[in-house]
């Protein structure tokens, strides 16, 4: 463990803003959070909770409550860890910022979820270019309490360690899968389309846009299609992929990816906004809900 946690953020250089990577695992310096830090948490928490009723998947909101996340103060990793360990065997580890890919995969493979210890500044409420404590805790942690999703995250980490041996193309394909599920996934529920991706859940604008805007595509989950689909990190997504359940996600990703990497090698990638003839498209119905092409 490191003695003094640092806040590792993008650096301004003559090449523009570049991400900085760190590997240290640190103790959450909870008593060093300022009143401003707690106020930023409170404001973001309140704002997102209001917005997410009826937009986020129900279990996500219920689990946040059950874990005792509230607007009063920044949660303590130790408190959350007691519940995580008991329920799914996951554990949060504090980090200073972005991790190198392999380090990140190895944490997940061992059921450790890296959480950035610091929270954004008041002037970064709506956007910052890397994960902070609010994104990681608010967005990612509740689903780690779901046994099926917990297994998916570990399997992903193990798959990532393996993918390293297959080279950069395989790694890019696996990263797209994470992006379009864990970060920007939508799920179909009896009540309609709901959000489960942490990148959306921690963003005010995208929480509304992903469900209400006519602009983006909402397509049925298709493993190899997703693995070929590029994405943008600096704007709202042009395409979201919809899963039917966490079980279905787990089943679809269970097969050995080695033959898939081999098959996809050298195939062209798909632009972020493109819709293919083979895609299953979700449309906003005349009533409240969403339906898929072919639904009656
Ligand atoms: N089944 C994948 C493999 O063989 C691992 C994986 C599981 C990847 C779940 C992503 C999600 O590599
Ligand atoms: Co994230």
């Amino acid at each position: 463990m490191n003695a003094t946690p640092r806040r590792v953020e993008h650096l301004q250089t003559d090449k523009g803003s570049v991400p900085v990577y760190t590997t240290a695992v640190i103790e959450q310096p909870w008593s060093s959070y300022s009143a401003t830090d707690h106020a930023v948490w409170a404001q973001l928490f309140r704002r997102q909770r209001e917005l997410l009723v009826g937009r986020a998947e129900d279990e996500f909101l219920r689990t946040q409550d059950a874990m005792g996340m509230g607007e009063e103060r920044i949660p303590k990793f130790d408190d959350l860890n007691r519940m995580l360990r008991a329920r799914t065997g996951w554990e949060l580890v504090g980090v200073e910022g972005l991790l190198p890919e392999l380090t990140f995969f190895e944490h997940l493979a061992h059921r450790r979820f890296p959480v950035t210890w610091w929270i954004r500044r008041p002037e970064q409420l709506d956007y910052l270019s890397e994960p902070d404590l609010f994104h990681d805790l608010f967005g990612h942690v509740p689903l780690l309490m779901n046994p099926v999703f917990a297994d998916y995250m570990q399997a992903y980490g193990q798959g990532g360690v393996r993918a390293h041996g297959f080279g950069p193309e395989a790694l890019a394909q696996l990263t797209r899968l994470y992006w379009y599920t864990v970060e920007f996934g939508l799920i179909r529920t009896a009540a309609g389309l709901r959000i489960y991706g942490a990148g959306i859940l921690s963003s005010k604008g995208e929480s509304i846009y992903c469900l209400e805007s006519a602009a983006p595509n909402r397509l049925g989950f298709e493993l190899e299609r997703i693995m070929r689909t590029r994405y943008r990190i600096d704007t709202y997504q042009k395409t979201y992929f919809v899963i039917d359940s966490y079980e279905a996600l787990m089943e679809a990703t269970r097969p050995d990816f080695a033959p898939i990497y081999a098959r996809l090698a050298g195939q062209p990638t798909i632009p972020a906004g493109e819709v293919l003839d083979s895609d299953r498209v979700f449309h906003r119905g005349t009533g409240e809900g969403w339906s898929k092409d072919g639904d009656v």
Side-chain angles (χ1 to χ4, degrees), residues 9 40 50 62 142 162 171 175 186-188 202 242 288-289:
E9 266 187 287
V40 166
E50 245 177 68
R62 277 188 276 113
R162 282 184 75 211
L171 272 175
T175 304
L186 299 180
I187 185 167
R188 188 183 200 193
S202 60
V242 181
E288 269 287 276

Side-chain angles (χ1 to χ4, degrees), residues 31-53:
S31 51
S32 74
Y33 291 130
S34 66
T36 305
D37 291 334
H38 287 289
V40 166
W41 168 269
Q43 202 178 340
L44 288 169
F45 188 91
R46 205 177 312 127
R47 187 169 91 172
Q48 286 310 99
R49 283 295 300 232
E50 245 177 68
L51 213 61
L52 290 176
V53 175

Side-chain angles (χ1 to χ4, degrees), residues 151-163 166 174 177-178 181 223 227 249-261:
D151 286 350
Y152 173 69
M153 291 290 281
Q154 178 179 25
Y156 179 84
Q158 293 166 334
V161 174
R162 282 184 75 211
F166 291 94
L174 202 61
L177 177 60
Y178 190 88
T181 58
L223 180 64
M227 291 171 77
L249 174 62
M250 190 71 213
E251 281 317 305
T253 51
R254 198 185 296 280
D256 182 359
F257 281 15
I260 301 181
Y261 296 138

Side-chain angles (χ1 to χ4, degrees), residues 112-264:
R112 294 189 301 260
F113 190 76
V115 174
T116 308
W117 72 269
W118 52 266
I119 193 160
R120 67 193 73 183
R121 304 177 212 281
E123 63 274 17
Q124 297 171 310
L125 280 196
D126 292 320
Y127 184 77
L128 79 169
S129 54
E130 58 233 296
D132 72 334
L133 177 138
F134 183 74
H135 167 80
D136 287 336
L137 275 196
F138 183 96
H140 284 290
V141 169
L143 273 181
L144 294 174
M145 293 280 277
N146 175 302
V148 177
F149 199 82
D151 286 350
Y152 173 69
M153 291 290 281
Q154 178 179 25
Y156 179 84
Q158 293 166 334
V161 174
R162 282 184 75 211
H164 247 259
F166 291 94
E169 207 183 348
L171 272 175
Q173 289 159 359
L174 202 61
T175 304
R176 294 184 194 120
L177 177 60
Y178 190 88
W179 187 265
Y180 283 118
T181 58
V182 178
E183 295 292 354
F184 290 95
L186 299 180
I187 185 167
R188 188 183 200 193
T189 75
L193 290 195
R194 292 289 185 272
I195 305 162
Y196 75 92
I200 310 176
L201 292 165
S202 60
S203 157
K204 179 187 178 192
E206 196 147 5
S207 293
I208 301 172
Y209 170 89
C210 71
L211 293 172
E212 265 119 286
S213 168
N217 312 307
R218 299 164 193 88
L219 309 177
F221 180 93
E222 214 61 69
L223 180 64
E224 293 185 28
R225 199 276 191 219
I226 291 177
M227 291 171 77
R228 294 173 54 204
T229 308
R230 299 202 296 267
Y231 60 85
R232 295 282 302 266
I233 64 162
D234 56 350
T235 63
Y236 296 157
Q237 300 307 303
K238 290 197 157 100
T239 297
Y240 301 94
F241 290 93
V242 181
I243 60 170
D244 285 324
S245 65
Y246 301 126
E247 286 80 4
L249 174 62
M250 190 71 213
E251 281 317 305
T253 51
R254 198 185 296 280
D256 182 359
F257 281 15
I260 301 181
Y261 296 138
R263 183 159 57 238
L264 295 186

